[in-house]
Amino acid sequence: MELSPLVAMVGNPNAGKSALFNALTGARQKVGNYPGVTVERHSGRLALDDGRAVELVDLPGAYSLDPSSPDERVTRDVVTGTQAGERLPDALVVVVDAANLDNHLRFALQLIALGLPVVVALNMVDLAERDGLVLDPAVLERELGVPVVPTVAVRRRGIDVLRARLTALVGGTTADLRRLRPSDGSVDDDIVTLQRRARAIAAAATVSETPVRRWNHAVDAVALHPVVGPVLLATLLFVMFQAVFSWSQAPVAWIESAFAALDDVVRAAMPDGFLRSLLTDGVIAGVGAVLVFLPLILILFLFILVLEASGYMVRAAFLMDRLMAGVGLSGRAFIPLLSSFACAVPGIMATRTIDDEKDRLTTILIAPLMTCSARLPVYSIIIAAFIPARQVAPFIGLQGLVLFGLYVMGIVGAFVAALALRRTVTKGDSSGFMMEMPKYQMPRLGDIAIGLWSRAWIFLKRAGTTIALTTVILWALLSFPQAPAGQKQAEYSVAGRIASGLEVIVRPIGFNHDIALALIPAMAAREVAVAAIGTVYAIDDVEDTRGERSLVDNLRGRWSLPTALAFLMWFVFAPQCISTIAVTRRETNGWRWPAFMVGYLFATAYVMAGITYWLAVFAGL
Amino acid sequence: MTSILTLETLPRHQPAAVDTIDWDRLAAPEARRLRELGFDQGVAVEVLHRARLGSGPIACRIGRMTVALRRAVARSIRVSTATLPAE
Ligand SMILES: Nc1nc2c(ncn2[C@@H]2O[C@H](COP(=O)(O)OP(=O)(O)O)[C@@H](O)[C@H]2O)c(=O)[nH]1
Ligand SMILES: [Mg+2]
């Protein structure tokens, strides 16, 4: 098979490689994996001006050809032609940030020295201009000896010229004759020499320059202020969690009524029987119970994506570094941990930016303790059923306070776990914290929309497959065999008998038969617990043939308060999420760490739920 | 007057240049990152922010870039304020 020429986008982190890649390839891109490592390979097709097609790959950002993370290693190996499963690129698009030439040119010089055909994209010229920096691309071109194209990736400026230069470059005569210079990995002295040369070139190419980014510094003066900064961060987080609940109320109600209407339609259209029960009690009840949380998840991700795209997230990491250092982590861990409030899966994937291995592992192991959105269904239904909607102070309701307490519990648990892990299984020198703080930017609507859509899609797929399937299986296991008169279906059925076995173990921490039953399918995902309990009561509730009695009423009638509290505490810790376990396995390359994670979290969940139950019992609740 | 300070103690917003870096006091990956971020003799630096009085990381400007680093690292970067033209 004739492979089309390969062109790789390379450059420092945040140079705008991905933005440029998107501008060049449009929507046609593929995400794969490099063999043996957990580094994603983003590729797409680009039609050159003469009609030929090339494959474009967006390589992970790096600072030099001397890798310090798996991502950077892939970048080096691809551009030196030593990456398994990848051919040597026919040309490189070296992306540099115009406002940061001193630094980005150094890596560019290293890349140019490799000998592959190169075109330099002088990106972010808009931001450079905003900062009062005027550059002369012709000088750069002369000094570097390769074509230089000024671009603004996010506004598609310069894209056509870039494509024209690439067309001339790919398959031209210059390519194959030059030899690659092997990188020996010991480029320390080189770096200093290159850096000096980079600075000299940058100075030569600078036409005029006014002092840097006044505007940025003014914002930072507030955002990073020793007192105001942390207050601002706390306020932002508070507003974020507040918004998650208040903005979501209306859409949640719409989804609920849509499912109720669907339920009515099915009940009216079908005769009473197994199929109807499967559809209403199984599929509609199960998927509906989970889907109502889509608005919450989207709002949470909206905030996280905006904070990330605006450049604020790194400032938050800066502010949090002191605190994180206290438990043996670094400020870098803050970003993955904050994402884990939405979902631990992207959170754990975001740990890839942590270069210290021990640091990264610890962050992965505690990420599931952040209260992810899948716990919200569980928390909110139990709180609605058992915690009175009373005001304890102006603007502070008891229900909200309990919810807040559960979040705090998770955070405290995570910090204690980090402390303990750093002294035992992930012992090692405390790692450093050194990062570049990107410029503030107005987040772009399109990027945010794409980010949200991909999160929504993952969630919908999960609701449509894993969760629908587990609820249907549970429904089947609960419905057969049919209990004779006088016996409870939830105890007589196959699922009931399995649960009776588990009940022996969880009885000491106050869990009843229904909970034991719900815990098993909830292994797939926490929110299934709610769907499962809903299904149990829907099937079991003989008086309520029309599905009218609410889950809340059922819970109130059947659970004691200590049991409900223990159940809440259980979910603060229990690692009941297949996706989290799977992503941990992928990110740590084996079963050892996910097994450890599941073990320590279940043990903690059991102990903490037990303590909660017995304390509540003795307190006479 | 030539005064030698470290980046840790350099007053905020005082223009300075990197004098020498005590590479031996830094862990190898830290030293490399520092080089990659452009720290080198003669480069202009400025302390922009300190996360908290007494402890916590420091944000500084190097070239046209803002970089956050911990105090322990900043301590091994000696800076001088005299090599710059007076402002
Ligand atoms: N103003 C402006 N922003 C840009 C430009 N190119 C990229 N960005 C933004 O800079 C940030 C980093 O870009 P990204 O493509 O993710 O960088 P990468 O790390 O090199 O892939 C994103 O928020 C982009 O939207 C540009 O030319 N002008
Ligand atoms: Mg990128």
Side-chain angles (χ1 to χ4, degrees):
Chain A
M1 191 184 75
E2 184 70 30
L3 283 172
S4 48
L6 183 72
V7 174
M9 318 279 306
V10 248
N12 287 45
N14 292 314
K17 296 175 296 299
S18 304
L20 213 49
F21 173 80
N22 291 341
L24 282 167
T25 58
R28 296 146 291 165
Q29 34 180 290
K30 274 196 328 222
V31 182
N33 247 301
Y34 288 102
V37 283
T38 56
V39 178
E40 283 177 355
R41 178 184 191 272
H42 293 258
S43 68
R45 300 220 135 253
L46 162 68
L48 295 177
D49 293 343
D50 56 9
R52 281 178 305 158
V54 293
E55 184 179 15
L56 202 62
V57 287
D58 182 17
L59 294 179
Y63 287 96
S64 71
L65 287 176
D66 188 11
S68 64
S69 73
D71 284 35
E72 292 190 9
R73 187 161 310 122
V74 165
T75 298
R76 182 200 59 190
D77 290 351
V78 170
V79 297
T80 55
T82 51
Q83 171 65 44
E86 186 72 282
R87 53 198 194 278
L88 179 69
D90 295 274
L92 303 178
V93 177
V94 174
V95 187
V96 296
D97 173 357
N100 211 343
L101 271 189
D102 283 6
N103 207 269
H104 288 204
L105 276 185
R106 190 199 56 239
F107 188 32
L109 284 168
Q110 258 189 325
L111 291 166
I112 292 170
L114 288 173
L116 290 169
V118 165
V119 54
V120 169
L122 183 62
N123 195 35
M124 306 208 182
V125 283
D126 57 331
L127 292 184
E129 278 160 21
R130 192 184 81 184
D131 289 347
L133 179 68
V134 183
L135 296 166
D136 184 352
V139 173
L140 273 183
E141 215 156 65
R142 200 177 58 227
E143 293 289 329
L144 296 174
V146 297
V148 175
V149 183
T151 58
V152 180
V154 291
R155 267 179 225 109
R156 309 185 56 89
R157 252 166 63 192
I159 303 299
D160 292 341
V161 183
L162 187 61
R163 196 174 43 237
R165 290 283 188 280
L166 262 181
T167 306
L169 217 55
V170 172
T173 46
T174 46
D176 354 69
L177 298 175
R178 298 196 211 170
R179 282 203 59 81
L180 281 182
R181 198 194 60 171
S183 161
D184 58 0
S186 64
V187 286
D188 275 3
D189 289 331
D190 251 354
I191 279 194
V192 175
T193 324
L194 282 171
Q195 181 67 67
R196 290 185 182 159
R197 183 153 157 64
R199 275 207 303 275
I201 296 177
T206 303
V207 177
S208 71
E209 175 175 26
T210 49
V212 269
R213 296 201 281 280
R214 290 203 187 99
W215 181 80
N216 245 290
H217 289 172
V219 179
D220 268 346
V222 178
L224 300 182
H225 188 273
V227 180
V228 182
V231 173
L232 182 70
L233 175 60
T235 312
L236 270 174
L237 294 181
F238 179 79
V239 168
M240 166 168 126
F241 285 111
Q242 196 63 36
V244 165
F245 292 98
S246 51
W247 297 359
S248 63
Q249 271 168 9
V252 165
W254 301 332
I255 296 176
E256 271 171 352
S257 46
F259 271 86
L262 189 62
D263 191 81
D264 285 345
V265 169
V266 174
R267 278 178 202 277
M270 293 175 70
D272 195 4
F274 268 125
L275 195 58
R276 192 177 95 172
S277 167
L278 169 67
L279 276 178
T280 56
D281 299 336
V283 179
I284 296 179
V287 173
V290 169
L291 225 49
V292 294
F293 294 95
L294 185 60
L296 281 77
I297 290 169
L298 289 185
I299 295 168
L300 198 54
F301 269 120
L302 175 68
F303 273 86
I304 288 177
L305 288 170
V306 167
L307 288 183
E308 195 122 48
S310 65
Y312 181 76
M313 208 61 129
V314 175
R315 273 72 184 181
F318 178 85
L319 292 172
M320 295 301 288
D321 182 60
R322 187 70 210 35
L323 193 62
M324 303 298 250
V327 296
L329 294 173
S330 86
R332 267 180 194 270
F334 179 72
I335 299 170
L337 291 179
L338 187 64
S339 307
S340 299
F341 278 109
C343 174
V345 173
I348 287 173
M349 283 178 1
T351 60
R352 285 178 193 167
T353 57
I354 303 177
D355 27 10
D356 184 274
E357 219 20 72
K358 298 264 173 61
D359 218 0
R360 173 161 185 252
L361 188 57
T362 315
T363 311
I364 291 177
L365 290 175
I366 65 169
L369 284 168
M370 299 294 124
T371 302
C372 69
S373 45
R375 284 170 171 103
L376 286 175
V378 182
Y379 289 175
S380 33
I381 195 105
I382 302 293
I383 288 178
F386 290 95
I387 310 294
R390 199 154 34 81
Q391 293 286 116
V392 288
F395 301 113
I396 301 179
L398 187 59
Q399 294 190 328
L401 202 62
V402 169
L403 187 66
F404 182 70
L406 290 167
Y407 273 91
V408 171
M409 204 56 221
I411 296 169
V412 171
F415 279 1
V416 172
L419 262 180
L421 291 169
R422 280 307 241 156
R423 272 165 186 61
T424 53
V425 287
T426 58
K427 190 155 50 192
D429 288 337
S430 91
S431 61
F433 172 71
M434 211 185 283
M435 56 195 305
E436 184 187 339
M437 304 182 119
K439 296 172 286 287
Y440 285 110
Q441 282 226 54
M442 205 56 198
R444 294 198 336 118
L445 210 61
D447 294 349
I448 305 285
I450 291 173
L452 276 182
W453 167 245
S454 69
R455 299 313 194 288
W457 179 237
I458 291 171
F459 182 80
L460 290 173
K461 233 170 44 189
R462 222 156 73 112
T465 54
T466 319
I467 294 171
L469 196 68
T470 20
T471 39
V472 168
I473 293 173
L474 180 69
W475 172 88
L477 292 178
L478 268 172
S479 301
F480 302 100
Q482 281 265 261
Q487 296 245 32
K488 279 184 142 187
Q489 181 66 27
E491 276 164 24
Y492 193 81
S493 60
V494 179
R497 291 173 207 192
I498 299 174
S500 300
L502 185 64
E503 195 189 349
V504 179
I505 305 173
V506 295
R507 167 93 26 214
I509 60 170
F511 286 6
N512 56 29
H513 186 266
D514 310 336
I515 297 182
L517 192 62
L519 287 185
I520 304 168
M523 213 42 231
R526 296 177 178 90
E527 60 267 43
V528 173
V530 173
I533 292 174
T535 309
V536 172
Y537 293 155
I539 288 178
D540 212 29
D541 211 339
V542 277
E543 307 104 71
D544 181 29
T545 45
R546 297 202 45 240
E548 271 175 354
R549 191 137 128 214
S550 78
L551 187 51
V552 167
D553 292 333
N554 257 315
L555 286 170
R556 277 195 194 128
R558 295 170 193 245
W559 294 16
S560 71
L561 181 55
T563 294
L565 293 177
F567 188 70
L568 286 175
M569 192 55 90
W570 172 268
F571 273 99
V572 170
F573 296 97
Q576 298 206 260
C577 176
I578 290 283
S579 319
T580 302
I581 298 170
V583 76
T584 305
R585 196 204 71 82
R586 212 172 54 145
E587 297 292 316
T588 60
N589 284 320
W591 281 111
R592 189 168 151 226
W593 291 111
F596 174 80
M597 183 168 98
V598 169
Y600 104 87
L601 287 175
F602 266 132
T604 316
Y606 191 83
V607 171
M608 292 303 288
I611 292 175
T612 307
Y613 178 73
W614 288 108
L615 281 180
V617 167
F618 286 126
L621 292 176
Chain B
M1 190 194 81
T2 301
S3 63
I4 302 263
L5 314 142
T6 70
L7 193 57
E8 191 196 12
T9 50
L10 181 69
R12 269 183 75 192
H13 299 310
Q14 169 151 15
V18 174
D19 186 47
T20 51
I21 301 176
D22 194 352
W23 296 113
D24 298 337
R25 274 178 46 187
L26 299 167
E30 267 174 349
R32 196 185 48 219
R33 265 285 183 255
L34 211 55
R35 285 194 182 94
E36 286 173 352
L37 290 172
F39 282 87
D40 181 24
Q41 188 163 23
V43 178
V45 285
E46 177 190 350
V47 172
L48 298 174
H49 307 278
R50 294 197 158 84
R52 218 176 296 176
L53 309 166
S55 61
I58 292 174
C60 62
R61 181 180 65 73
I62 171 137
R64 298 185 73 91
M65 197 162 48
T66 309
V67 169
L69 37 79
R70 283 197 178 156
R71 274 164 207 254
V73 174
R75 202 172 300 143
S76 32
I77 302 171
R78 288 212 276 176
V79 298
S80 64
T81 52
T83 48
L84 287 186
E87 279 189 69

